[in-house]
Amino acid sequence: MGQSGLTQAIEVADLVVGFGGNTVLDHLDLIVHTGEILGLAGASGGGKSVLLRTLLGLIPKRKGQIAIFGVDQDKATSLELQVLERRWGVLFQEGALFSSLDVFENIEFPMREYLKLSPRLMREIAAVKLEMVGLKPEDGDKHPSELSGGMTKRVALARALSLDPALVFLDEPTSGLDPIAAGEFGVLIRTLQRTLGLTVFMVTHDLEALETICDRVAALADGKIVEIGALAQVLESEHPWVKSYFRSVRSPLPLSRAPVTP
Amino acid sequence: MSLDMCRADAVLAEKRLAVGVSGTDQLAIVGAGAWIADNAAELEAVIEALRPNEATNLEIDMGEVEAFDTFGAWILERLMRGDGRPRRVALLRLPARFHDLAEDVHETHRQTPSPGQRIAGPLARLADIGRGVEAAFEEVRRLVDMVGALVALCATALLSPRRFRWTSIVHQLDRVGVRSMPIILLITLLIGAIIAQQGFFHFRQFGADDYVVDLVGVLTLREIGVLIVSIMVAGRSGSSYTAELGSMKMREEIDALRTMGRDPLEILVLPRILALVVALPLLTLIGSLAALIGGGFVASFYGMEPSLYLARLQEAVSIADFEVGMIKAPFMALAIGLVACAEGFQVRGSAESLGARTTSSVVKAIFLVIVLDGLFAMFFSSIGM
């Protein structure tokens, strides 16, 4: 995956983001290859979500360039940006489902906005998406307030995938799920990535998700990406924060199937 | 990834999506181009136009299809499923890279839910009316419930006054009383001025200038003062009560209080309603005064000396007029507070329901205020006040 010669899915160069006198991202560089699943790990409050929201254009940056599929957000016209937004899907941490619409309507919402489909086709495709994320068509008539945490995540994923995007941003997709559900969700993301050929940018705390789902792992510390590569490579990092963070993978819990480092 | 490249190319590719060749009972469809979301509407139309469900022998050639996503996969799947009539279907030359997706979609969605079926016709109307009546009774029951619970709460709280939550009451008094004074003073001042101006304008034609003071005094003290202030408070404070309690309900804060063994009525509702019951009479008092002053301004503008205005006012209004207005105020406050809090607790999970409940809180409170005012008018006239 991630062959060279193609446009990279995400290219970030020299990114600086801060609030007031507080610099959160400090000259950060990052490349996400097309077709890979990249997991971003980092401490709570370390700027993972800030990076994600900056990529999405929700937080203004102080300095640096961000290009997604080769489109630089500063230079793009509003039409180009719209085409870009049409090609990505976002799973927010709390789901961010529209509370006044039912599940089907939530999934259909992007289709309704961007495509002129017949109501029948739209409903059928929404049902296909719903089943792809492991829910039943009967769940489609429920409202977001009637869903459990895991179901909310799944519906949010179905909505993120509604338009068959090329790039999906996942903000803590497995947080708040029990380990079994989290594992299933990981497998689901992996399967969908394979069948749909997605690029996935995933912010996560979940070491198991990093290990089982991600092609590459990026560690964010001190406002920079301090280590990026296959998990095995990140585990060998000498950076003190990365070392202490991933120590729990090696010991004491034997949940890891990762290669043990010397 | 290959899919992704194809998708980019597909935008440029010409839009020849499917061609059908039909014989007797037989249809051969040759797919081409990009079977993706952007073309889905067109693709569906092209395929429906070929009437594929009527052929007993269907052949689908996918060899020329360059891009394929869930939308294309579903349309292919739907084509192959048909409408349940027995027939022979052959799928030819589906490119290997699309197999996984086609397989995935094939697994899903065995029964098709129809989009939003709704019962229509006169029967549905009737059912709507029935539900409306039921909801109205339910509403009354809830209000009565809340009154009962609050009375019980007050009774127990009188035994241990600490349970009245003085800090909270004072805070609410500041919000609904002190902070609403400027706007209420301004509005009532203007209303008093307008009544006086209309009085002078019309009474002057038959030389009854003096009676304008009676008009302003009696009307303000008995009706307008308390009514305007109540309506303002329902819009300003009632709505904020509903929105606050409603969003606390949505975020499970009220459930959190319950699990800590605390009664939300005691902590949230009682201080709010008590604050209103104290604040509204005071606001009515200053509002009525402001209206009288506004009337005085206009009177001096029309050439009536302020001293004369005051002297006329003393003759025109009695303490009974003032009492009639003030007695009503706490009842108005109770109605506004009860409706606002009850509506707040009715908020369900959605943002829409928060908006709907806030609207209905204000509408119901204003309605109740006016109905109560009418009942009081009948009561006071029958006891001769």
Side-chain angles (χ1 to χ4, degrees):
Chain A
M1 299 241 172
Q3 290 150 13
S4 54
L6 292 169
T7 316
Q8 305 291 4
I10 304 174
E11 283 173 280
V12 179
D14 200 28
L15 181 68
V16 180
V17 178
F19 306 99
N22 169 16
T23 306
V24 181
L25 301 179
D26 186 13
H27 301 282
L28 178 143
D29 298 293
L30 174 67
I31 286 181
V32 180
H33 304 305
T34 304
E36 76 172 344
I37 301 185
L38 180 88
L40 180 68
S44 291
K48 298 191 301 295
S49 290
V50 171
L51 175 57
L52 178 73
R53 295 172 72 84
T54 312
L55 292 177
L56 294 170
L58 297 172
I59 296 180
K61 58 182 186 291
R62 285 197 182 148
K63 191 164 172 282
Q65 289 91 44
I66 298 174
I68 295 182
F69 292 124
V71 179
D72 187 329
Q73 294 182 350
D74 297 325
K75 295 175 194 145
T77 62
S78 65
L79 185 68
E80 281 174 321
L81 277 180
Q82 220 184 347
V83 170
L84 184 64
E85 280 159 10
R86 154 85 176 69
R87 293 183 70 197
W88 78 39
V90 185
L91 168 69
F92 285 95
Q93 202 171 347
E94 309 286 334
L97 297 175
F98 301 123
S99 57
S100 54
L101 304 179
D102 69 23
V103 166
F104 272 140
E105 288 165 340
N106 261 289
I107 302 173
E108 287 169 8
F109 183 82
M111 298 184 214
R112 211 180 288 275
E113 291 299 308
Y114 280 102
L115 309 171
K116 291 191 182 66
L117 300 184
S118 65
R120 178 185 159 207
L121 184 61
M122 211 145 53
R123 184 54 52 104
E124 286 170 350
I125 288 177
V128 169
K129 302 271 179 192
L130 204 57
E131 274 192 52
M132 279 179 138
V133 299
L135 295 174
K136 296 186 195 67
E138 299 92 89
D139 298 325
D141 295 323
K142 291 185 177 141
H143 275 265
S145 53
E146 300 164 311
L147 301 177
S148 70
M151 285 167 87
T152 304
K153 293 260 175 184
R154 283 168 193 263
V155 174
L157 181 64
R159 188 180 70 179
L161 295 173
S162 173
L163 292 172
D164 277 31
L167 171 62
V168 184
F169 294 96
L170 308 174
D171 193 358
E172 308 243 358
T174 54
S175 74
L177 302 181
D178 67 74
I180 299 171
E184 281 175 5
F185 206 77
V187 172
L188 173 69
I189 291 168
R190 189 84 249 191
T191 312
L192 290 173
Q193 190 268 341
R194 215 172 14 239
T195 43
L196 301 175
L198 302 170
T199 305
V200 179
F201 179 89
M202 183 165 91
V203 170
T204 187
H205 263 312
D206 182 350
L207 292 171
E208 199 173 348
L210 287 174
E211 188 190 333
T212 54
I213 312 172
C214 299
D215 297 315
R216 290 198 306 154
V217 174
L220 178 66
D222 313 325
K224 291 186 180 63
I225 301 292
V226 292
E227 196 64 57
I228 184 165
L231 186 66
Q233 183 189 333
V234 175
L235 286 173
E236 286 177 41
S237 168
E238 287 305 311
H239 189 278
W241 180 83
V242 179
K243 265 180 118 167
S244 67
Y245 184 77
F246 287 100
R247 186 170 302 138
S248 55
V249 180
R250 287 171 264 184
S251 62
L253 292 169
L255 61 80
S256 165
R257 268 156 279 134
V260 178
T261 51
Chain B
M1 177 181 58
S2 50
L3 191 77
D4 196 62
M5 290 169 62
C6 293
R7 194 176 294 159
D9 294 339
V11 179
L12 305 171
E14 58 171 323
K15 281 193 172 180
R16 190 178 59 86
L17 297 167
V19 182
V21 185
S22 52
T24 40
D25 288 345
Q26 181 169 337
L27 178 66
I29 293 176
V30 181
W35 284 38
I36 59 169
D38 287 319
N39 296 335
E42 208 175 322
L43 185 59
E44 187 192 25
V46 169
I47 289 199
E48 289 301 313
L50 294 172
R51 307 168 78 78
N53 290 344
E54 283 164 27
T56 50
N57 218 333
L58 182 65
E59 197 181 282
I60 307 162
D61 180 356
M62 295 290 285
E64 307 292 309
V65 173
E66 292 151 9
F68 195 63
D69 66 7
T70 321
F71 290 76
W74 170 250
I75 289 174
L76 174 65
E77 182 63 26
R78 192 161 97 182
L79 188 59
M80 288 170 62
R81 280 185 202 175
D83 57 3
R85 276 182 278 179
R87 56 184 192 151
R88 213 179 60 76
V89 182
L91 175 63
L92 307 174
R93 300 207 296 148
L94 179 68
R97 61 185 194 276
F98 303 151
H99 276 193
D100 280 354
L101 185 57
E103 193 56 38
D104 258 23
V105 170
H106 180 69
E107 308 268 291
T108 62
H109 194 33
R110 280 293 155 192
Q111 80 274 29
T112 301
S114 56
Q117 68 270 15
R118 199 162 284 166
I119 318 152
L123 213 60
R125 237 349 90 240
L126 216 56
D128 276 351
I129 295 173
R131 267 194 288 273
V133 172
E134 202 180 2
F137 275 108
E138 183 59 22
E139 185 75 42
V140 173
R141 201 187 61 78
R142 259 200 310 273
L143 282 184
V144 174
D145 254 13
M146 193 174 263
V147 175
L150 284 177
V151 169
L153 205 61
C154 279
T156 54
L158 281 176
L159 297 177
S160 54
R162 218 172 53 81
R163 295 183 64 189
F164 270 123
R165 316 249 159 207
W166 298 108
T167 324
S168 180
I169 293 178
V170 170
H171 173 68
Q172 296 297 339
L173 259 177
D174 178 52
R175 285 183 52 208
V176 304
V178 179
R179 282 164 205 263
S180 62
M181 262 164 56
I183 184 68
I184 282 180
L185 280 174
L186 178 68
I187 298 282
T188 48
L189 190 84
L190 289 175
I191 296 275
I194 291 165
I195 293 173
Q197 191 272 338
Q198 287 295 306
F200 277 109
F201 188 75
H202 292 282
F203 285 13
R204 183 154 278 187
Q205 292 165 11
F206 36 93
D209 276 15
D210 283 358
Y211 290 101
V212 171
V213 184
D214 296 59
L215 174 75
V216 173
V218 174
L219 203 55
T220 299
L221 291 179
R222 291 185 80 103
E223 296 293 335
I224 297 292
V226 65
L227 216 50
I228 292 288
V229 170
S230 300
I231 290 172
M232 294 278 305
V233 166
R236 190 185 173 281
S237 308
S239 60
S240 85
Y241 281 5
T242 307
E244 274 169 19
L245 295 179
S247 77
M248 289 180 78
K249 177 96 196 281
M250 277 167 83
R251 294 158 163 273
E252 300 179 317
E253 291 174 41
I254 289 178
D255 296 337
L257 269 179
R258 276 214 181 90
T259 57
M260 294 175 201
R262 285 284 159 258
D263 184 359
L265 277 183
E266 178 188 323
I267 293 186
L268 301 172
V269 175
L270 192 62
R272 283 182 167 76
I273 291 185
L274 284 182
L276 263 192
V277 169
V278 175
L280 199 72
L282 296 176
L283 289 173
T284 302
L285 175 65
I286 63 158
S288 300
L289 288 179
L292 293 178
I293 292 169
F297 276 138
V298 171
S300 67
F301 186 74
Y302 274 86
M304 183 185 274
E305 287 293 316
S307 55
L308 184 63
Y309 179 81
L310 275 181
R312 272 301 290 143
L313 204 57
Q314 273 179 332
E315 284 171 38
V317 300
S318 65
I319 192 72
D321 293 324
F322 175 68
E323 283 168 3
V324 164
M326 293 305 286
I327 287 171
K328 288 192 278 195
F331 292 94
M332 304 295 195
L334 200 60
I336 295 167
L338 283 172
V339 168
C341 294
E343 289 290 327
F345 283 129
Q346 285 307 300
V347 169
R348 295 281 165 258
S350 73
E352 198 182 356
S353 100
L354 181 61
R357 286 298 167 181
T358 308
T359 304
S360 104
S361 152
V362 175
V363 170
K364 280 179 190 156
I366 291 178
F367 171 77
L368 267 185
V369 159
I370 290 176
V371 168
L372 269 182
D373 194 59
L375 292 178
F376 271 117
M378 292 193 292
F379 171 71
F380 286 127
S381 64
S382 65
I383 64 166
M385 256 176 108

PDB file of all heavy atoms in Angstrom, chain A residues 46-65:
ATOM      1  N   GLY A  46      -2.733  16.449  23.976  1.00  0.00           N
ATOM      2  CA  GLY A  46      -1.468  16.663  23.275  1.00  0.00           C
ATOM      3  C   GLY A  46      -1.629  17.229  21.878  1.00  0.00           C
ATOM      4  O   GLY A  46      -0.642  17.452  21.190  1.00  0.00           O
ATOM      5  N   GLY A  47      -2.860  17.418  21.450  1.00  0.00           N
ATOM      6  CA  GLY A  47      -3.062  18.062  20.156  1.00  0.00           C
ATOM      7  C   GLY A  47      -3.515  17.138  19.048  1.00  0.00           C
ATOM      8  O   GLY A  47      -3.531  17.535  17.893  1.00  0.00           O
ATOM      9  N   LYS A  48      -3.893  15.893  19.375  1.00  0.00           N
ATOM     10  CA  LYS A  48      -4.357  14.980  18.327  1.00  0.00           C
ATOM     11  C   LYS A  48      -5.616  15.518  17.649  1.00  0.00           C
ATOM     12  O   LYS A  48      -5.680  15.622  16.432  1.00  0.00           O
ATOM     13  CB  LYS A  48      -4.681  13.601  18.919  1.00  0.00           C
ATOM     14  CG  LYS A  48      -3.504  12.899  19.539  1.00  0.00           C
ATOM     15  CD  LYS A  48      -3.827  11.458  19.861  1.00  0.00           C
ATOM     16  CE  LYS A  48      -4.998  11.277  20.804  1.00  0.00           C
ATOM     17  NZ  LYS A  48      -4.803  11.813  22.168  1.00  0.00           N
ATOM     18  N   SER A  49      -6.584  15.856  18.494  1.00  0.00           N
ATOM     19  CA  SER A  49      -7.840  16.349  17.923  1.00  0.00           C
ATOM     20  C   SER A  49      -7.640  17.700  17.255  1.00  0.00           C
ATOM     21  O   SER A  49      -8.292  18.007  16.264  1.00  0.00           O
ATOM     22  CB  SER A  49      -8.908  16.452  19.010  1.00  0.00           C
ATOM     23  OG  SER A  49      -9.285  15.166  19.425  1.00  0.00           O
ATOM     24  N   VAL A  50      -6.723  18.494  17.793  1.00  0.00           N
ATOM     25  CA  VAL A  50      -6.437  19.793  17.170  1.00  0.00           C
ATOM     26  C   VAL A  50      -5.890  19.575  15.767  1.00  0.00           C
ATOM     27  O   VAL A  50      -6.296  20.242  14.812  1.00  0.00           O
ATOM     28  CB  VAL A  50      -5.446  20.598  18.037  1.00  0.00           C
ATOM     29  CG1 VAL A  50      -4.976  21.838  17.291  1.00  0.00           C
ATOM     30  CG2 VAL A  50      -6.104  20.993  19.339  1.00  0.00           C
ATOM     31  N   LEU A  51      -4.984  18.602  15.622  1.00  0.00           N
ATOM     32  CA  LEU A  51      -4.441  18.301  14.290  1.00  0.00           C
ATOM     33  C   LEU A  51      -5.564  17.874  13.345  1.00  0.00           C
ATOM     34  O   LEU A  51      -5.668  18.367  12.220  1.00  0.00           O
ATOM     35  CB  LEU A  51      -3.372  17.198  14.403  1.00  0.00           C
ATOM     36  CG  LEU A  51      -2.796  16.693  13.089  1.00  0.00           C
ATOM     37  CD1 LEU A  51      -2.185  17.825  12.276  1.00  0.00           C
ATOM     38  CD2 LEU A  51      -1.756  15.605  13.325  1.00  0.00           C
ATOM     39  N   LEU A  52      -6.417  16.993  13.835  1.00  0.00           N
ATOM     40  CA  LEU A  52      -7.528  16.517  13.001  1.00  0.00           C
ATOM     41  C   LEU A  52      -8.418  17.676  12.570  1.00  0.00           C
ATOM     42  O   LEU A  52      -8.753  17.828  11.396  1.00  0.00           O
ATOM     43  CB  LEU A  52      -8.346  15.483  13.773  1.00  0.00           C
ATOM     44  CG  LEU A  52      -9.559  14.927  13.037  1.00  0.00           C
ATOM     45  CD1 LEU A  52      -9.121  13.990  11.943  1.00  0.00           C
ATOM     46  CD2 LEU A  52     -10.489  14.214  13.989  1.00  0.00           C
ATOM     47  N   ARG A  53      -8.773  18.514  13.539  1.00  0.00           N
ATOM     48  CA  ARG A  53      -9.685  19.619  13.222  1.00  0.00           C
ATOM     49  C   ARG A  53      -9.025  20.658  12.332  1.00  0.00           C
ATOM     50  O   ARG A  53      -9.699  21.320  11.541  1.00  0.00           O
ATOM     51  CB  ARG A  53     -10.205  20.256  14.521  1.00  0.00           C
ATOM     52  CG  ARG A  53     -11.064  19.290  15.323  1.00  0.00           C
ATOM     53  CD  ARG A  53     -11.414  19.844  16.685  1.00  0.00           C
ATOM     54  NE  ARG A  53     -12.380  20.919  16.582  1.00  0.00           N
ATOM     55  CZ  ARG A  53     -13.703  20.728  16.503  1.00  0.00           C
ATOM     56  NH1 ARG A  53     -14.183  19.518  16.534  1.00  0.00           N
ATOM     57  NH2 ARG A  53     -14.516  21.736  16.414  1.00  0.00           N
ATOM     58  N   THR A  54      -7.706  20.790  12.450  1.00  0.00           N
ATOM     59  CA  THR A  54      -7.009  21.714  11.551  1.00  0.00           C
ATOM     60  C   THR A  54      -7.012  21.165  10.128  1.00  0.00           C
ATOM     61  O   THR A  54      -7.204  21.903   9.163  1.00  0.00           O
ATOM     62  CB  THR A  54      -5.565  21.941  12.033  1.00  0.00           C
ATOM     63  OG1 THR A  54      -5.590  22.229  13.417  1.00  0.00           O
ATOM     64  CG2 THR A  54      -4.925  23.092  11.282  1.00  0.00           C
ATOM     65  N   LEU A  55      -6.800  19.847   9.992  1.00  0.00           N
ATOM     66  CA  LEU A  55      -6.844  19.236   8.664  1.00  0.00           C
ATOM     67  C   LEU A  55      -8.204  19.460   8.016  1.00  0.00           C
ATOM     68  O   LEU A  55      -8.314  19.682   6.815  1.00  0.00           O
ATOM     69  CB  LEU A  55      -6.574  17.731   8.758  1.00  0.00           C
ATOM     70  CG  LEU A  55      -5.167  17.300   9.157  1.00  0.00           C
ATOM     71  CD1 LEU A  55      -5.090  15.786   9.263  1.00  0.00           C
ATOM     72  CD2 LEU A  55      -4.159  17.807   8.155  1.00  0.00           C
ATOM     73  N   LEU A  56      -9.253  19.395   8.839  1.00  0.00           N
ATOM     74  CA  LEU A  56     -10.604  19.549   8.315  1.00  0.00           C
ATOM     75  C   LEU A  56     -10.969  21.007   8.070  1.00  0.00           C
ATOM     76  O   LEU A  56     -12.035  21.302   7.550  1.00  0.00           O
ATOM     77  CB  LEU A  56     -11.613  18.950   9.300  1.00  0.00           C
ATOM     78  CG  LEU A  56     -11.535  17.443   9.481  1.00  0.00           C
ATOM     79  CD1 LEU A  56     -12.395  16.999  10.647  1.00  0.00           C
ATOM     80  CD2 LEU A  56     -11.975  16.750   8.215  1.00  0.00           C
ATOM     81  N   GLY A  57     -10.076  21.915   8.498  1.00  0.00           N
ATOM     82  CA  GLY A  57     -10.347  23.332   8.280  1.00  0.00           C
ATOM     83  C   GLY A  57     -11.252  23.935   9.338  1.00  0.00           C
ATOM     84  O   GLY A  57     -11.812  25.003   9.150  1.00  0.00           O
ATOM     85  N   LEU A  58     -11.397  23.255  10.485  1.00  0.00           N
ATOM     86  CA  LEU A  58     -12.273  23.777  11.539  1.00  0.00           C
ATOM     87  C   LEU A  58     -11.529  24.712  12.484  1.00  0.00           C
ATOM     88  O   LEU A  58     -12.135  25.494  13.200  1.00  0.00           O
ATOM     89  CB  LEU A  58     -12.883  22.623  12.346  1.00  0.00           C
ATOM     90  CG  LEU A  58     -13.790  21.686  11.560  1.00  0.00           C
ATOM     91  CD1 LEU A  58     -14.180  20.486  12.403  1.00  0.00           C
ATOM     92  CD2 LEU A  58     -15.028  22.411  11.095  1.00  0.00           C
ATOM     93  N   ILE A  59     -10.191  24.595  12.518  1.00  0.00           N
ATOM     94  CA  ILE A  59      -9.381  25.469  13.369  1.00  0.00           C
ATOM     95  C   ILE A  59      -8.393  26.188  12.453  1.00  0.00           C
ATOM     96  O   ILE A  59      -7.769  25.547  11.612  1.00  0.00           O
ATOM     97  CB  ILE A  59      -8.608  24.643  14.428  1.00  0.00           C
ATOM     98  CG1 ILE A  59      -9.580  23.950  15.381  1.00  0.00           C
ATOM     99  CG2 ILE A  59      -7.643  25.523  15.199  1.00  0.00           C
ATOM    100  CD1 ILE A  59      -8.889  23.119  16.434  1.00  0.00           C
ATOM    101  N   PRO A  60      -8.248  27.492  12.576  1.00  0.00           N
ATOM    102  CA  PRO A  60      -7.288  28.199  11.715  1.00  0.00           C
ATOM    103  C   PRO A  60      -5.854  27.894  12.140  1.00  0.00           C
ATOM    104  O   PRO A  60      -5.580  27.673  13.313  1.00  0.00           O
ATOM    105  CB  PRO A  60      -7.637  29.670  11.950  1.00  0.00           C
ATOM    106  CG  PRO A  60      -8.284  29.702  13.285  1.00  0.00           C
ATOM    107  CD  PRO A  60      -8.970  28.387  13.474  1.00  0.00           C
ATOM    108  N   LYS A  61      -4.969  27.845  11.167  1.00  0.00           N
ATOM    109  CA  LYS A  61      -3.563  27.581  11.492  1.00  0.00           C
ATOM    110  C   LYS A  61      -2.785  28.884  11.462  1.00  0.00           C
ATOM    111  O   LYS A  61      -3.188  29.852  10.828  1.00  0.00           O
ATOM    112  CB  LYS A  61      -2.984  26.573  10.507  1.00  0.00           C
ATOM    113  CG  LYS A  61      -3.057  26.976   9.040  1.00  0.00           C
ATOM    114  CD  LYS A  61      -2.501  25.869   8.179  1.00  0.00           C
ATOM    115  CE  LYS A  61      -2.397  26.259   6.724  1.00  0.00           C
ATOM    116  NZ  LYS A  61      -3.707  26.412   6.071  1.00  0.00           N
ATOM    117  N   ARG A  62      -1.644  28.884  12.171  1.00  0.00           N
ATOM    118  CA  ARG A  62      -0.832  30.092  12.193  1.00  0.00           C
ATOM    119  C   ARG A  62       0.145  30.120  11.034  1.00  0.00           C
ATOM    120  O   ARG A  62       0.502  31.157  10.523  1.00  0.00           O
ATOM    121  CB  ARG A  62      -0.049  30.169  13.510  1.00  0.00           C
ATOM    122  CG  ARG A  62      -0.930  30.553  14.666  1.00  0.00           C
ATOM    123  CD  ARG A  62      -0.105  31.012  15.843  1.00  0.00           C
ATOM    124  NE  ARG A  62      -0.999  31.330  16.948  1.00  0.00           N
ATOM    125  CZ  ARG A  62      -0.682  31.162  18.216  1.00  0.00           C
ATOM    126  NH1 ARG A  62       0.507  30.685  18.541  1.00  0.00           N
ATOM    127  NH2 ARG A  62      -1.533  31.475  19.147  1.00  0.00           N
ATOM    128  N   LYS A  63       0.577  28.919  10.662  1.00  0.00           N
ATOM    129  CA  LYS A  63       1.667  28.853   9.693  1.00  0.00           C
ATOM    130  C   LYS A  63       1.659  27.456   9.095  1.00  0.00           C
ATOM    131  O   LYS A  63       1.168  26.518   9.717  1.00  0.00           O
ATOM    132  CB  LYS A  63       2.992  29.076  10.455  1.00  0.00           C
ATOM    133  CG  LYS A  63       4.209  29.306   9.603  1.00  0.00           C
ATOM    134  CD  LYS A  63       5.330  29.887  10.479  1.00  0.00           C
ATOM    135  CE  LYS A  63       6.632  29.962   9.716  1.00  0.00           C
ATOM    136  NZ  LYS A  63       7.300  28.656   9.627  1.00  0.00           N
ATOM    137  N   GLY A  64       2.198  27.316   7.880  1.00  0.00           N
ATOM    138  CA  GLY A  64       2.349  25.998   7.299  1.00  0.00           C
ATOM    139  C   GLY A  64       1.360  25.714   6.185  1.00  0.00           C
ATOM    140  O   GLY A  64       0.460  26.498   5.915  1.00  0.00           O
ATOM    141  N   GLN A  65       1.587  24.572   5.516  1.00  0.00           N
ATOM    142  CA  GLN A  65       0.701  24.182   4.421  1.00  0.00           C
ATOM    143  C   GLN A  65       0.032  22.843   4.716  1.00  0.00           C
ATOM    144  O   GLN A  65       0.647  21.958   5.296  1.00  0.00           O
ATOM    145  CB  GLN A  65       1.471  24.022   3.097  1.00  0.00           C
ATOM    146  CG  GLN A  65       1.963  25.310   2.475  1.00  0.00           C
ATOM    147  CD  GLN A  65       3.365  25.635   2.948  1.00  0.00           C
ATOM    148  OE1 GLN A  65       4.217  24.753   3.007  1.00  0.00           O
ATOM    149  NE2 GLN A  65       3.599  26.881   3.312  1.00  0.00           N
TER     150      GLN A  65
END
